[in-house]
Amino acid sequence: MLTLGTILYVSLLLINAMAVLSEDRFLARIGWSSAQPQNVNTAFQQSYDQSNYGYAQQDVGVKVRIINLISAVRTLMRIPLIGLNLVIIGYELILGG
């Protein structure tokens, strides 16, 4: 039966899976590394859009968005995931849920 606890466990497992992916060992091998090749003239090639008050929005693909999501999860969720995993482990040990 699909309950709120099941949804929480599945989402926690998926976030944990994204957080433990090694960029050097796994993601770089399949071409999903967030490291961009350095180009000296990159600053001169960026377009400026005055209507959006910043750089122009470029049409990025799904692959780039997934790479950015994985990078953000690995950066931002590292400390909160430790605490959340400890809470879930404690809950499972104490209540046997």
Side-chain angles (χ1 to χ4, degrees), residues 35-53:
Q36 303 274 331
Q38 294 294 326
N39 189 357
V40 181
N41 297 325
T42 305
F44 298 111
Q45 294 174 356
Q46 293 177 345
S47 60
Y48 186 75
D49 185 14
Q50 293 182 359
S51 65
N52 288 336
Y53 303 108

Side-chain angles (χ1 to χ4, degrees), residues 9-67:
Y9 287 149
V10 169
S11 61
L12 181 67
L13 287 173
L14 289 175
I15 293 172
N16 277 326
M18 283 192 288
V20 300
L21 284 176
S22 174
E23 190 166 349
D24 299 333
R25 296 181 189 168
F26 179 71
L27 295 175
R29 285 187 186 173
I30 62 172
W32 284 33
S33 177
S34 63
Q36 303 274 331
Q38 294 294 326
N39 189 357
V40 181
N41 297 325
T42 305
F44 298 111
Q45 294 174 356
Q46 293 177 345
S47 60
Y48 186 75
D49 185 14
Q50 293 182 359
S51 65
N52 288 336
Y53 303 108
Y55 291 108
Q57 293 289 333
Q58 297 175 355
D59 187 25
V60 294
V62 174
K63 181 179 175 181
V64 174
R65 290 178 189 229
I66 292 174
I67 292 170

Side-chain angles (χ1 to χ4, degrees), residues 69-83:
L69 175 68
I70 291 171
S71 177
V73 166
R74 291 178 65 222
T75 303
L76 298 174
M77 292 298 291
R78 183 174 295 155
I79 303 300
L81 269 177
I82 294 171

Side-chain angles (χ1 to χ4, degrees), residues 75-92:
T75 303
L76 298 174
M77 292 298 291
R78 183 174 295 155
I79 303 300
L81 269 177
I82 294 171
L84 192 57
N85 283 323
L86 288 174
V87 167
I88 295 296
I89 290 170
Y91 171 76
E92 290 290 327

